[in-house]
Amino acid sequence: PTAIRAFMRLGEEHPRKHDLSSLRLLGSVGEPINPEAWMWYREVIGGGRCPVVDTWWQTETGGIMISPLPGATPTKPGSATLPLPGIHAEILDRQGNPVPKGQGGLLFLTKPWPSMLRTVYGDPERYVKTYFSELPGKYFTGDGARTDLDGYFWLMGRVDDVVNVAGHRLGTAEVESALVSHPRIAEAAVVGRPDELKGTALVAFVTLKKGTEPSAELKKELANHVTKEIGAIARPDEIRFAEGLPKTRSGKIMRRLLRDVAAGKQTTGDTTTLEDLNVLATLRQDEE
């Protein structure tokens, strides 16, 4: 989805120059896709005729787990739809109780499957602690999710990316989706920084679509847009315009690094997978 939004930012004229008629299937992986990116991908890249397969899986699962069957499963922009045959996925609370439809919870896999990870090489205790300590006997994915009235799964991102703002738990992926639904925004990454009053304050890093200039008025407009889409509790405390966001070579935004920037801390973690170190340096210069 990050790569798709990067292409959206550059405009439709680039894919329009090419013959894409041989494409038959479009895939998405890595993080939740927002409906606007899903529709752009389907219409501009797929010509409105290619099924979009929004897949949820992990390296540890050994294969795709939740995904539409191309051309067979009715799709909804932004939803990974349903678990594949033989995959048992449930959304539970921390006590192991099923969460009502429409409410967010933790995504668990509740029965074994053929391609599952069996251990961590040389450290079986770490395997059990990492994946099976949250609820014994159930595989904890580390992701938050919800189901709608049709039982379709909507991924909300890593539980680490859920922030507590004045006692309310917010998925940063939801705030990011609200921001990129604004016609002038290409990409957004939302992180939390410590705040004495709220506990956590929301900081949004956004990149603008081609031809849009940053301004104080646009910041206000974006904050109001999030309030309208989600509610006042999700209104970002700070919005920063950025030329680019720190990403891995596979296109994932490194929110861990953005949390350091937002909090004014030096980056101490591993940056070897960062595609462009200059992006991080530029963000710090903008901060100064």
Side-chain angles (χ1 to χ4, degrees), residues 124-142:
E125 287 183 19
R126 182 182 176 191
Y127 174 65
V128 174
K129 183 180 177 184
T130 302
Y131 300 105
F132 292 94
S133 61
E134 189 74 30
L135 290 175
K138 292 179 170 54
Y139 174 96
F140 179 42
T141 65

Side-chain angles (χ1 to χ4, degrees), residues 161 163 172 176 189-196 199-206 236-242 245-246 253-268 279-288:
D161 294 328
V163 294
T172 55
E176 291 168 2
V190 175
V191 297
R193 65 165 161 75
D195 182 86
E196 287 185 12
T200 305
L202 290 179
V203 181
F205 295 85
V206 296
D237 297 272
E238 186 181 350
I239 295 175
R240 298 188 189 181
F241 296 117
L245 299 174
I253 295 172
M254 298 182 75
R255 290 169 180 80
R256 166 177 60 82
L257 302 182
L258 290 176
R259 279 193 284 270
D260 290 342
V261 173
K265 297 192 301 186
Q266 285 299 313
T267 303
T268 54
V279 170
L280 201 57
T282 304
L283 284 170
R284 293 202 178 280
Q285 285 172 1
D286 291 346
E287 182 189 20
E288 294 163 6

Side-chain angles (χ1 to χ4, degrees), residues 24-284:
R24 294 190 296 169
L25 180 67
L26 303 179
S28 172
V29 67
E31 60 186 4
I33 186 168
N34 56 296
E36 289 72 23
W38 194 100
M39 290 300 298
W40 187 92
Y41 193 31
R42 184 180 188 277
E43 297 303 320
V44 177
I45 304 300
R49 56 185 172 72
C50 298
V52 177
V53 179
D54 175 17
T55 62
W56 177 85
W57 56 287
Q58 299 175 321
T59 303
E60 302 93 314
T61 65
I64 296 168
M65 308 295 278
I66 302 175
S67 163
L69 293 167
T73 307
T75 53
K76 297 182 183 185
S79 170
T81 68
L82 302 165
L84 292 175
I87 304 302
H88 298 267
E90 293 183 40
I91 298 172
L92 309 172
D93 62 21
R94 291 195 182 273
Q95 288 70 48
N97 304 308
V99 172
K101 288 182 177 179
Q103 293 185 23
L106 306 175
L107 180 62
F108 285 88
L109 300 172
T110 55
K111 291 188 179 181
W113 62 99
S115 63
M116 71 185 292
L117 190 71
R118 304 301 170 95
T119 188
V120 172
Y121 180 71
D123 197 349
E125 287 183 19
R126 182 182 176 191
Y127 174 65
V128 174
K129 183 180 177 184
T130 302
Y131 300 105
F132 292 94
S133 61
E134 189 74 30
L135 290 175
K138 292 179 170 54
Y139 174 96
F140 179 42
T141 65
D143 285 334
R146 62 179 174 85
T147 52
D148 61 19
L149 294 177
D150 296 321
Y152 275 42
F153 282 70
W154 297 76
L155 277 298
M156 297 161 61
R158 302 296 295 169
V159 174
D160 298 347
D161 294 328
V162 174
V163 294
N164 196 319
V165 179
H168 296 266
R169 288 175 65 77
L170 283 172
T172 55
E174 295 173 272
V175 186
E176 291 168 2
S177 183
L179 283 165
V180 295
S181 70
H182 189 282
R184 296 187 189 182
I185 300 304
E187 295 179 288
V190 175
V191 297
R193 65 165 161 75
D195 182 86
E196 287 185 12
L197 182 64
K198 293 183 173 182
T200 305
L202 290 179
V203 181
F205 295 85
V206 296
T207 60
L208 303 175
K209 285 186 179 173
K210 203 173 175 182
T212 301
E213 292 297 322
S215 67
E217 291 76 19
L218 182 55
K219 284 186 180 182
K220 188 175 179 181
E221 188 180 323
L222 291 172
N224 290 336
H225 180 70
V226 173
T227 302
K228 180 183 170 188
E229 292 289 312
I230 303 177
I233 194 65
R235 185 186 181 95
D237 297 272
E238 186 181 350
I239 295 175
R240 298 188 189 181
F241 296 117
E243 286 292 319
L245 299 174
K247 296 172 192 166
T248 64
R249 292 176 187 87
S250 62
K252 284 189 184 180
I253 295 172
M254 298 182 75
R255 290 169 180 80
R256 166 177 60 82
L257 302 182
L258 290 176
R259 279 193 284 270
D260 290 342
V261 173
K265 297 192 301 186
Q266 285 299 313
T267 303
T268 54
D270 184 9
T271 57
T272 54
T273 58
L274 184 61
E275 184 182 29
D276 185 357
L277 283 165
N278 293 326
V279 170
L280 201 57
T282 304
L283 284 170
R284 293 202 178 280

